Short mmCIF file of all heavy atoms in Angstrom, two decimals:
data_model
loop_
_atom_site.label_atom_id
_atom_site.label_comp_id
_atom_site.label_asym_id
_atom_site.label_seq_id
_atom_site.Cartn_x
_atom_site.Cartn_y
_atom_site.Cartn_z
N LYS A 1632 77.91 -164.97 -98.26
CA LYS A 1632 76.73 -165.31 -99.08
C LYS A 1632 76.24 -166.72 -98.74
O LYS A 1632 75.05 -166.98 -98.60
CB LYS A 1632 77.10 -165.26 -100.58
CG LYS A 1632 76.94 -163.93 -101.22
CD LYS A 1632 76.31 -164.07 -102.63
CE LYS A 1632 75.64 -162.79 -103.06
NZ LYS A 1632 76.62 -161.72 -103.31
N GLU A 1633 77.21 -167.63 -98.61
CA GLU A 1633 76.84 -169.02 -98.28
C GLU A 1633 76.24 -169.08 -96.86
O GLU A 1633 75.24 -169.77 -96.63
CB GLU A 1633 78.07 -169.93 -98.41
CG GLU A 1633 77.85 -171.38 -97.94
CD GLU A 1633 76.75 -172.13 -98.68
OE1 GLU A 1633 76.37 -171.74 -99.79
OE2 GLU A 1633 76.25 -173.13 -98.09
N PHE A 1634 76.83 -168.34 -95.92
CA PHE A 1634 76.27 -168.32 -94.56
C PHE A 1634 74.84 -167.78 -94.60
O PHE A 1634 73.95 -168.27 -93.89
CB PHE A 1634 77.12 -167.45 -93.62
CG PHE A 1634 78.38 -168.12 -93.15
CD1 PHE A 1634 79.61 -167.45 -93.19
CD2 PHE A 1634 78.37 -169.41 -92.63
CE1 PHE A 1634 80.78 -168.06 -92.74
CE2 PHE A 1634 79.53 -170.04 -92.18
CZ PHE A 1634 80.74 -169.35 -92.25
N GLU A 1635 74.62 -166.79 -95.44
CA GLU A 1635 73.27 -166.19 -95.52
C GLU A 1635 72.27 -167.22 -96.07
O GLU A 1635 71.14 -167.33 -95.57
CB GLU A 1635 73.31 -164.94 -96.40
CG GLU A 1635 72.01 -164.16 -96.31
CD GLU A 1635 72.16 -162.74 -96.84
OE1 GLU A 1635 73.12 -162.46 -97.58
OE2 GLU A 1635 71.28 -161.93 -96.51
N HIS A 1636 72.72 -167.97 -97.06
CA HIS A 1636 71.85 -169.02 -97.59
C HIS A 1636 71.51 -170.03 -96.49
O HIS A 1636 70.36 -170.43 -96.31
CB HIS A 1636 72.53 -169.71 -98.77
CG HIS A 1636 71.66 -170.75 -99.39
ND1 HIS A 1636 70.86 -170.49 -100.49
CD2 HIS A 1636 71.39 -172.02 -99.02
CE1 HIS A 1636 70.16 -171.57 -100.78
NE2 HIS A 1636 70.46 -172.53 -99.91
N ARG A 1637 72.54 -170.42 -95.76
CA ARG A 1637 72.32 -171.41 -94.68
C ARG A 1637 71.41 -170.86 -93.59
O ARG A 1637 70.62 -171.59 -93.00
CB ARG A 1637 73.66 -171.81 -94.06
CG ARG A 1637 74.54 -172.57 -95.00
CD ARG A 1637 75.85 -172.82 -94.29
NE ARG A 1637 76.86 -173.33 -95.18
CZ ARG A 1637 78.12 -173.52 -94.80
NH1 ARG A 1637 78.49 -173.24 -93.58
NH2 ARG A 1637 79.00 -174.00 -95.65
N LYS A 1638 71.55 -169.56 -93.34
CA LYS A 1638 70.68 -168.95 -92.31
C LYS A 1638 69.22 -169.14 -92.73
O LYS A 1638 68.37 -169.49 -91.91
CB LYS A 1638 71.01 -167.47 -92.15
CG LYS A 1638 70.16 -166.80 -91.09
CD LYS A 1638 70.39 -165.31 -91.02
CE LYS A 1638 69.88 -164.62 -92.24
NZ LYS A 1638 69.24 -163.34 -92.04
N GLY A 1639 68.92 -168.91 -94.02
CA GLY A 1639 67.56 -169.10 -94.52
C GLY A 1639 67.11 -170.54 -94.31
O GLY A 1639 65.99 -170.80 -93.84
N LEU A 1640 68.02 -171.46 -94.63
CA LEU A 1640 67.71 -172.89 -94.45
C LEU A 1640 67.40 -173.18 -92.98
O LEU A 1640 66.41 -173.83 -92.64
CB LEU A 1640 68.92 -173.70 -94.94
CG LEU A 1640 68.95 -175.20 -94.74
CD1 LEU A 1640 67.84 -175.87 -95.54
CD2 LEU A 1640 70.31 -175.78 -95.19
N VAL A 1641 68.27 -172.68 -92.10
CA VAL A 1641 68.12 -172.91 -90.66
C VAL A 1641 66.81 -172.32 -90.14
O VAL A 1641 66.10 -172.96 -89.35
CB VAL A 1641 69.33 -172.29 -89.91
CG1 VAL A 1641 69.05 -172.13 -88.43
CG2 VAL A 1641 70.57 -173.14 -90.13
N MET A 1642 66.46 -171.12 -90.58
CA MET A 1642 65.21 -170.51 -90.10
C MET A 1642 64.02 -171.36 -90.53
O MET A 1642 63.07 -171.53 -89.76
CB MET A 1642 65.07 -169.06 -90.61
CG MET A 1642 66.08 -168.08 -90.03
SD MET A 1642 66.28 -168.09 -88.23
CE MET A 1642 64.70 -167.44 -87.70
N ASN A 1643 64.07 -171.92 -91.75
CA ASN A 1643 62.98 -172.81 -92.20
C ASN A 1643 62.92 -174.07 -91.36
O ASN A 1643 61.85 -174.54 -90.98
CB ASN A 1643 63.17 -173.20 -93.67
CG ASN A 1643 62.87 -172.02 -94.58
OD1 ASN A 1643 62.17 -171.08 -94.19
ND2 ASN A 1643 63.42 -172.04 -95.79
N LEU A 1644 64.09 -174.64 -91.05
CA LEU A 1644 64.12 -175.88 -90.25
C LEU A 1644 63.63 -175.61 -88.83
O LEU A 1644 62.90 -176.43 -88.25
CB LEU A 1644 65.53 -176.46 -90.23
CG LEU A 1644 66.04 -176.98 -91.58
CD1 LEU A 1644 67.54 -177.24 -91.54
CD2 LEU A 1644 65.29 -178.26 -91.97
N LEU A 1645 64.01 -174.44 -88.28
CA LEU A 1645 63.57 -174.11 -86.91
C LEU A 1645 62.06 -173.89 -86.86
O LEU A 1645 61.42 -174.17 -85.84
CB LEU A 1645 64.29 -172.85 -86.41
CG LEU A 1645 65.74 -173.03 -85.97
CD1 LEU A 1645 66.39 -171.68 -85.71
CD2 LEU A 1645 65.83 -173.91 -84.71
N ALA A 1646 61.50 -173.39 -87.96
CA ALA A 1646 60.05 -173.12 -87.98
C ALA A 1646 59.25 -174.42 -87.81
O ALA A 1646 58.08 -174.39 -87.40
CB ALA A 1646 59.68 -172.43 -89.29
N GLU A 1647 59.90 -175.56 -88.09
CA GLU A 1647 59.20 -176.85 -87.96
C GLU A 1647 59.29 -177.41 -86.53
O GLU A 1647 58.72 -178.45 -86.24
CB GLU A 1647 59.84 -177.88 -88.90
CG GLU A 1647 59.59 -177.58 -90.37
CD GLU A 1647 60.42 -178.51 -91.25
OE1 GLU A 1647 60.91 -179.55 -90.75
OE2 GLU A 1647 60.58 -178.17 -92.44
N ILE A 1648 60.06 -176.74 -85.67
CA ILE A 1648 60.21 -177.25 -84.29
C ILE A 1648 59.26 -176.48 -83.37
O ILE A 1648 59.37 -175.26 -83.25
CB ILE A 1648 61.67 -177.10 -83.80
CG1 ILE A 1648 62.62 -177.84 -84.76
CG2 ILE A 1648 61.82 -177.60 -82.38
CD1 ILE A 1648 64.09 -177.74 -84.39
N PRO A 1649 58.33 -177.18 -82.73
CA PRO A 1649 57.37 -176.47 -81.87
C PRO A 1649 58.00 -176.01 -80.55
O PRO A 1649 59.04 -176.53 -80.12
CB PRO A 1649 56.29 -177.53 -81.59
CG PRO A 1649 56.96 -178.85 -81.79
CD PRO A 1649 58.07 -178.63 -82.77
N ASP A 1650 57.37 -175.01 -79.94
CA ASP A 1650 57.70 -174.58 -78.56
C ASP A 1650 59.09 -174.00 -78.37
O ASP A 1650 59.65 -174.08 -77.27
CB ASP A 1650 57.49 -175.75 -77.57
CG ASP A 1650 56.04 -176.16 -77.51
OD1 ASP A 1650 55.17 -175.29 -77.73
OD2 ASP A 1650 55.77 -177.35 -77.28
N ILE A 1651 59.69 -173.48 -79.43
CA ILE A 1651 60.92 -172.72 -79.23
C ILE A 1651 60.65 -171.29 -79.68
O ILE A 1651 59.72 -171.05 -80.45
CB ILE A 1651 62.13 -173.28 -80.02
CG1 ILE A 1651 61.82 -173.30 -81.52
CG2 ILE A 1651 62.54 -174.65 -79.52
CD1 ILE A 1651 63.05 -173.52 -82.36
N ARG A 1652 61.46 -170.37 -79.17
CA ARG A 1652 61.33 -168.97 -79.61
C ARG A 1652 62.68 -168.55 -80.19
O ARG A 1652 63.73 -168.96 -79.68
CB ARG A 1652 60.95 -168.08 -78.43
CG ARG A 1652 59.59 -168.46 -77.84
CD ARG A 1652 59.07 -167.46 -76.83
NE ARG A 1652 60.05 -167.16 -75.82
CZ ARG A 1652 60.39 -165.94 -75.45
NH1 ARG A 1652 59.84 -164.89 -76.02
NH2 ARG A 1652 61.30 -165.74 -74.50
N ILE A 1653 62.65 -167.75 -81.24
CA ILE A 1653 63.90 -167.46 -81.93
C ILE A 1653 63.89 -166.08 -82.57
O ILE A 1653 62.87 -165.64 -83.07
CB ILE A 1653 64.17 -168.56 -83.01
CG1 ILE A 1653 65.46 -168.31 -83.81
CG2 ILE A 1653 63.00 -168.73 -83.97
CD1 ILE A 1653 66.70 -168.69 -83.10
N ASN A 1654 65.04 -165.40 -82.51
CA ASN A 1654 65.27 -164.18 -83.30
C ASN A 1654 66.08 -164.55 -84.53
O ASN A 1654 67.02 -165.35 -84.43
CB ASN A 1654 66.12 -163.18 -82.50
CG ASN A 1654 65.28 -162.27 -81.65
OD1 ASN A 1654 64.09 -162.12 -81.87
ND2 ASN A 1654 65.91 -161.67 -80.66
N GLU A 1655 65.78 -163.95 -85.65
CA GLU A 1655 66.60 -164.20 -86.83
C GLU A 1655 67.92 -163.42 -86.68
O GLU A 1655 67.90 -162.21 -86.43
CB GLU A 1655 65.86 -163.73 -88.08
CG GLU A 1655 66.61 -164.09 -89.34
CD GLU A 1655 65.76 -164.00 -90.60
OE1 GLU A 1655 64.52 -163.92 -90.48
OE2 GLU A 1655 66.35 -164.01 -91.68
N PRO A 1656 69.07 -164.10 -86.81
CA PRO A 1656 70.34 -163.37 -86.64
C PRO A 1656 70.61 -162.39 -87.78
O PRO A 1656 70.28 -162.68 -88.93
CB PRO A 1656 71.39 -164.48 -86.63
CG PRO A 1656 70.75 -165.66 -87.26
CD PRO A 1656 69.27 -165.53 -87.07
N ASP A 1657 71.20 -161.25 -87.46
CA ASP A 1657 71.60 -160.26 -88.47
C ASP A 1657 73.05 -160.42 -88.88
O ASP A 1657 73.53 -159.77 -89.80
CB ASP A 1657 71.42 -158.83 -87.93
CG ASP A 1657 69.95 -158.43 -87.87
OD1 ASP A 1657 69.17 -158.95 -88.68
OD2 ASP A 1657 69.61 -157.60 -87.01
N GLY A 1658 73.78 -161.25 -88.12
CA GLY A 1658 75.19 -161.47 -88.43
C GLY A 1658 75.68 -162.74 -87.75
O GLY A 1658 74.91 -163.44 -87.09
N ALA A 1659 76.98 -163.04 -87.92
CA ALA A 1659 77.63 -164.25 -87.40
C ALA A 1659 76.96 -165.52 -87.96
O ALA A 1659 76.13 -165.42 -88.88
CB ALA A 1659 77.67 -164.25 -85.88
N PHE A 1660 77.32 -166.69 -87.43
CA PHE A 1660 76.77 -167.92 -88.02
C PHE A 1660 76.17 -168.84 -86.95
O PHE A 1660 76.47 -170.03 -86.90
CB PHE A 1660 77.81 -168.64 -88.88
CG PHE A 1660 79.23 -168.61 -88.35
CD1 PHE A 1660 79.57 -169.25 -87.16
CD2 PHE A 1660 80.23 -167.93 -89.03
CE1 PHE A 1660 80.86 -169.23 -86.69
CE2 PHE A 1660 81.54 -167.89 -88.56
CZ PHE A 1660 81.86 -168.54 -87.39
N TYR A 1661 75.35 -168.22 -86.09
CA TYR A 1661 74.70 -168.98 -85.03
C TYR A 1661 73.22 -168.63 -84.94
O TYR A 1661 72.84 -167.50 -85.26
CB TYR A 1661 75.31 -168.64 -83.67
CG TYR A 1661 76.81 -168.65 -83.62
CD1 TYR A 1661 77.53 -167.45 -83.67
CD2 TYR A 1661 77.52 -169.85 -83.55
CE1 TYR A 1661 78.91 -167.44 -83.63
CE2 TYR A 1661 78.91 -169.84 -83.51
CZ TYR A 1661 79.60 -168.64 -83.55
OH TYR A 1661 80.96 -168.64 -83.52
N VAL A 1662 72.42 -169.58 -84.46
CA VAL A 1662 71.08 -169.25 -83.97
C VAL A 1662 71.07 -169.56 -82.48
O VAL A 1662 71.82 -170.42 -82.01
CB VAL A 1662 69.95 -170.01 -84.71
CG1 VAL A 1662 69.65 -169.35 -86.05
CG2 VAL A 1662 70.27 -171.48 -84.87
N PHE A 1663 70.22 -168.85 -81.77
CA PHE A 1663 70.25 -168.93 -80.31
C PHE A 1663 68.82 -169.04 -79.79
O PHE A 1663 68.30 -168.11 -79.18
CB PHE A 1663 70.95 -167.67 -79.79
CG PHE A 1663 71.43 -167.75 -78.37
CD1 PHE A 1663 72.39 -168.67 -77.98
CD2 PHE A 1663 70.95 -166.86 -77.40
CE1 PHE A 1663 72.86 -168.72 -76.68
CE2 PHE A 1663 71.40 -166.91 -76.10
CZ PHE A 1663 72.37 -167.84 -75.73
N PRO A 1664 68.17 -170.18 -80.07
CA PRO A 1664 66.76 -170.30 -79.68
C PRO A 1664 66.55 -170.45 -78.17
O PRO A 1664 67.39 -171.05 -77.48
CB PRO A 1664 66.30 -171.57 -80.41
CG PRO A 1664 67.54 -172.35 -80.65
CD PRO A 1664 68.66 -171.36 -80.80
N ASP A 1665 65.43 -169.91 -77.72
CA ASP A 1665 64.99 -170.12 -76.33
C ASP A 1665 64.28 -171.47 -76.30
O ASP A 1665 63.26 -171.67 -76.97
CB ASP A 1665 64.04 -168.99 -75.94
CG ASP A 1665 63.57 -169.10 -74.49
OD1 ASP A 1665 63.29 -170.24 -74.05
OD2 ASP A 1665 63.46 -168.06 -73.82
N VAL A 1666 64.85 -172.40 -75.54
CA VAL A 1666 64.32 -173.77 -75.51
C VAL A 1666 63.71 -174.08 -74.14
O VAL A 1666 63.50 -175.25 -73.79
CB VAL A 1666 65.43 -174.80 -75.83
CG1 VAL A 1666 65.82 -174.73 -77.30
CG2 VAL A 1666 66.67 -174.57 -74.95
N SER A 1667 63.42 -173.04 -73.36
CA SER A 1667 63.02 -173.26 -71.96
C SER A 1667 61.68 -173.98 -71.84
O SER A 1667 61.40 -174.56 -70.79
CB SER A 1667 62.99 -171.94 -71.19
OG SER A 1667 62.12 -171.03 -71.81
N ASN A 1668 60.87 -173.97 -72.89
CA ASN A 1668 59.60 -174.72 -72.83
C ASN A 1668 59.83 -176.22 -72.68
O ASN A 1668 58.92 -176.96 -72.32
CB ASN A 1668 58.75 -174.46 -74.08
CG ASN A 1668 58.04 -173.12 -73.98
OD1 ASN A 1668 57.67 -172.69 -72.88
ND2 ASN A 1668 57.87 -172.46 -75.11
N TYR A 1669 61.03 -176.65 -73.00
CA TYR A 1669 61.33 -178.09 -72.88
C TYR A 1669 61.88 -178.46 -71.50
O TYR A 1669 62.06 -179.64 -71.20
CB TYR A 1669 62.31 -178.51 -73.98
CG TYR A 1669 61.64 -178.56 -75.34
CD1 TYR A 1669 61.65 -177.47 -76.18
CD2 TYR A 1669 60.95 -179.72 -75.75
CE1 TYR A 1669 61.00 -177.50 -77.41
CE2 TYR A 1669 60.30 -179.75 -76.97
CZ TYR A 1669 60.34 -178.65 -77.80
OH TYR A 1669 59.69 -178.70 -79.00
N PHE A 1670 62.20 -177.45 -70.68
CA PHE A 1670 62.76 -177.76 -69.36
C PHE A 1670 61.67 -178.41 -68.50
O PHE A 1670 60.51 -177.98 -68.53
CB PHE A 1670 63.30 -176.51 -68.66
CG PHE A 1670 64.42 -175.81 -69.41
CD1 PHE A 1670 64.82 -174.52 -69.06
CD2 PHE A 1670 65.09 -176.45 -70.45
CE1 PHE A 1670 65.86 -173.88 -69.74
CE2 PHE A 1670 66.12 -175.81 -71.14
CZ PHE A 1670 66.50 -174.52 -70.78
N GLY A 1671 62.08 -179.45 -67.74
CA GLY A 1671 61.12 -180.16 -66.89
C GLY A 1671 60.47 -181.33 -67.60
O GLY A 1671 59.79 -182.14 -66.98
N LYS A 1672 60.71 -181.47 -68.92
CA LYS A 1672 60.12 -182.61 -69.64
C LYS A 1672 61.02 -183.85 -69.49
O LYS A 1672 62.19 -183.74 -69.10
CB LYS A 1672 59.92 -182.25 -71.11
CG LYS A 1672 58.88 -181.14 -71.30
CD LYS A 1672 58.42 -181.08 -72.74
CE LYS A 1672 57.29 -180.05 -72.85
NZ LYS A 1672 56.72 -179.98 -74.18
N GLN A 1673 60.44 -184.99 -69.85
CA GLN A 1673 61.14 -186.25 -69.59
C GLN A 1673 61.22 -187.13 -70.83
O GLN A 1673 60.39 -187.01 -71.73
CB GLN A 1673 60.39 -187.04 -68.53
CG GLN A 1673 60.40 -186.39 -67.17
CD GLN A 1673 59.85 -187.32 -66.11
OE1 GLN A 1673 59.14 -188.27 -66.42
NE2 GLN A 1673 60.19 -187.04 -64.86
N VAL A 1674 62.20 -188.04 -70.80
CA VAL A 1674 62.25 -189.12 -71.79
C VAL A 1674 62.92 -190.31 -71.11
O VAL A 1674 63.98 -190.15 -70.51
CB VAL A 1674 63.00 -188.70 -73.08
CG1 VAL A 1674 64.40 -188.24 -72.82
CG2 VAL A 1674 62.96 -189.81 -74.12
N GLY A 1675 62.26 -191.46 -71.18
CA GLY A 1675 62.82 -192.70 -70.60
C GLY A 1675 63.30 -192.52 -69.17
O GLY A 1675 64.40 -192.98 -68.85
N GLY A 1676 62.56 -191.82 -68.34
CA GLY A 1676 62.94 -191.64 -66.95
C GLY A 1676 63.96 -190.54 -66.72
O GLY A 1676 64.36 -190.27 -65.59
N ARG A 1677 64.44 -189.91 -67.79
CA ARG A 1677 65.45 -188.84 -67.66
C ARG A 1677 64.75 -187.49 -67.79
O ARG A 1677 64.04 -187.25 -68.76
CB ARG A 1677 66.46 -189.02 -68.79
CG ARG A 1677 67.50 -187.94 -68.92
CD ARG A 1677 68.41 -188.26 -70.11
NE ARG A 1677 69.52 -187.34 -70.19
CZ ARG A 1677 70.56 -187.49 -71.01
NH1 ARG A 1677 70.61 -188.54 -71.82
NH2 ARG A 1677 71.53 -186.61 -71.04
N THR A 1678 64.93 -186.64 -66.76
CA THR A 1678 64.31 -185.31 -66.82
C THR A 1678 65.34 -184.31 -67.33
O THR A 1678 66.51 -184.33 -66.93
CB THR A 1678 63.85 -184.86 -65.41
OG1 THR A 1678 62.97 -185.88 -64.91
CG2 THR A 1678 63.09 -183.54 -65.47
N ILE A 1679 64.90 -183.44 -68.24
CA ILE A 1679 65.78 -182.39 -68.77
C ILE A 1679 65.47 -181.12 -67.99
O ILE A 1679 64.43 -180.49 -68.18
CB ILE A 1679 65.51 -182.16 -70.27
CG1 ILE A 1679 65.65 -183.47 -71.06
CG2 ILE A 1679 66.42 -181.06 -70.81
CD1 ILE A 1679 67.02 -184.10 -71.03
N ASN A 1680 66.37 -180.77 -67.09
CA ASN A 1680 66.09 -179.64 -66.19
C ASN A 1680 66.51 -178.29 -66.74
O ASN A 1680 65.92 -177.27 -66.40
CB ASN A 1680 66.78 -179.86 -64.84
CG ASN A 1680 66.14 -181.01 -64.09
OD1 ASN A 1680 64.92 -180.98 -63.85
ND2 ASN A 1680 66.91 -182.03 -63.77
N ASP A 1681 67.54 -178.26 -67.55
CA ASP A 1681 68.04 -176.96 -68.01
C ASP A 1681 68.77 -177.10 -69.35
O ASP A 1681 68.82 -178.19 -69.93
CB ASP A 1681 68.95 -176.34 -66.94
CG ASP A 1681 70.12 -177.24 -66.58
OD1 ASP A 1681 70.46 -178.13 -67.40
OD2 ASP A 1681 70.70 -177.07 -65.50
N ALA A 1682 69.35 -175.99 -69.80
CA ALA A 1682 69.99 -175.98 -71.12
C ALA A 1682 71.22 -176.91 -71.15
O ALA A 1682 71.48 -177.56 -72.17
CB ALA A 1682 70.40 -174.56 -71.49
N ASP A 1683 71.95 -177.00 -70.03
CA ASP A 1683 73.11 -177.91 -69.98
C ASP A 1683 72.66 -179.34 -70.26
O ASP A 1683 73.25 -180.06 -71.07
CB ASP A 1683 73.76 -177.91 -68.59
CG ASP A 1683 74.47 -176.61 -68.27
OD1 ASP A 1683 74.30 -175.66 -69.05
OD2 ASP A 1683 75.16 -176.55 -67.23
N GLU A 1684 71.57 -179.72 -69.55
CA GLU A 1684 71.11 -181.11 -69.69
C GLU A 1684 70.49 -181.35 -71.07
O GLU A 1684 70.61 -182.44 -71.63
CB GLU A 1684 70.10 -181.43 -68.57
CG GLU A 1684 70.79 -181.47 -67.21
CD GLU A 1684 69.85 -181.80 -66.05
OE1 GLU A 1684 68.71 -182.23 -66.28
OE2 GLU A 1684 70.29 -181.59 -64.91
N LEU A 1685 69.88 -180.31 -71.62
CA LEU A 1685 69.30 -180.46 -72.95
C LEU A 1685 70.41 -180.68 -73.98
O LEU A 1685 70.30 -181.55 -74.86
CB LEU A 1685 68.47 -179.22 -73.32
CG LEU A 1685 67.66 -179.38 -74.60
CD1 LEU A 1685 66.50 -180.35 -74.41
CD2 LEU A 1685 67.11 -178.06 -75.08
N CYS A 1686 71.50 -179.92 -73.86
CA CYS A 1686 72.61 -180.09 -74.80
C CYS A 1686 73.23 -181.49 -74.68
O CYS A 1686 73.57 -182.11 -75.69
CB CYS A 1686 73.69 -179.03 -74.57
SG CYS A 1686 73.18 -177.43 -75.15
N MET A 1687 73.37 -181.97 -73.44
CA MET A 1687 73.93 -183.31 -73.25
C MET A 1687 73.00 -184.37 -73.83
O MET A 1687 73.45 -185.34 -74.44
CB MET A 1687 74.17 -183.59 -71.75
CG MET A 1687 75.36 -182.88 -71.15
SD MET A 1687 76.86 -182.98 -72.16
CE MET A 1687 77.23 -184.70 -72.04
N TYR A 1688 71.68 -184.15 -73.65
CA TYR A 1688 70.70 -185.08 -74.22
C TYR A 1688 70.79 -185.08 -75.75
O TYR A 1688 70.80 -186.13 -76.40
CB TYR A 1688 69.30 -184.67 -73.73
CG TYR A 1688 68.16 -185.30 -74.50
CD1 TYR A 1688 67.91 -186.67 -74.43
CD2 TYR A 1688 67.33 -184.52 -75.31
CE1 TYR A 1688 66.88 -187.25 -75.16
CE2 TYR A 1688 66.29 -185.09 -76.03
CZ TYR A 1688 66.07 -186.44 -75.95
OH TYR A 1688 65.05 -187.02 -76.67
N LEU A 1689 70.86 -183.88 -76.33
CA LEU A 1689 70.95 -183.78 -77.80
C LEU A 1689 72.23 -184.47 -78.30
O LEU A 1689 72.22 -185.12 -79.35
CB LEU A 1689 70.93 -182.32 -78.25
CG LEU A 1689 69.62 -181.56 -78.07
CD1 LEU A 1689 69.78 -180.09 -78.48
CD2 LEU A 1689 68.48 -182.21 -78.87
N LEU A 1690 73.30 -184.34 -77.53
CA LEU A 1690 74.57 -184.97 -77.95
C LEU A 1690 74.49 -186.49 -77.81
O LEU A 1690 74.77 -187.22 -78.76
CB LEU A 1690 75.72 -184.40 -77.11
CG LEU A 1690 77.10 -184.95 -77.46
CD1 LEU A 1690 77.51 -184.58 -78.88
CD2 LEU A 1690 78.17 -184.44 -76.49
N GLU A 1691 74.07 -186.94 -76.64
CA GLU A 1691 74.12 -188.39 -76.37
C GLU A 1691 73.05 -189.17 -77.12
O GLU A 1691 73.31 -190.24 -77.65
CB GLU A 1691 73.99 -188.64 -74.86
CG GLU A 1691 75.22 -188.18 -74.09
CD GLU A 1691 74.97 -188.07 -72.59
OE1 GLU A 1691 73.87 -188.44 -72.12
OE2 GLU A 1691 75.87 -187.59 -71.90
N GLN A 1692 71.84 -188.62 -77.16
CA GLN A 1692 70.73 -189.34 -77.80
C GLN A 1692 70.52 -188.91 -79.25
O GLN A 1692 70.20 -189.73 -80.10
CB GLN A 1692 69.42 -189.13 -77.02
CG GLN A 1692 69.49 -189.52 -75.57
CD GLN A 1692 69.80 -191.01 -75.40
OE1 GLN A 1692 69.22 -191.85 -76.09
NE2 GLN A 1692 70.72 -191.34 -74.51
#
Side-chain angles (χ1 to χ4, degrees):
K1632 272 222 157 68
E1633 173 59 20
F1634 283 132
E1635 190 163 19
H1636 183 95
R1637 293 177 191 175
K1638 181 185 68 141
L1640 173 64
V1641 163
M1642 292 311 291
N1643 287 338
L1644 293 167
L1645 283 171
E1647 292 171 16
I1648 302 179
D1650 295 331
I1651 58 166
R1652 297 190 309 130
I1653 179 78
N1654 271 341
E1655 186 164 346
D1657 286 332
F1660 38 66
Y1661 313 101
V1662 280
F1663 197 62
D1665 182 320
V1666 289
S1667 58
N1668 281 328
Y1669 287 92
F1670 299 167
K1672 294 196 175 184
Q1673 293 190 340
V1674 57
R1677 174 181 187 171
T1678 304
I1679 304 298
N1680 291 304
D1681 57 21
D1683 290 9
E1684 291 181 13
L1685 189 70
C1686 286
M1687 286 313 293
Y1688 165 68
L1689 291 176
L1690 181 64
E1691 290 165 5
Q1692 303 299 315

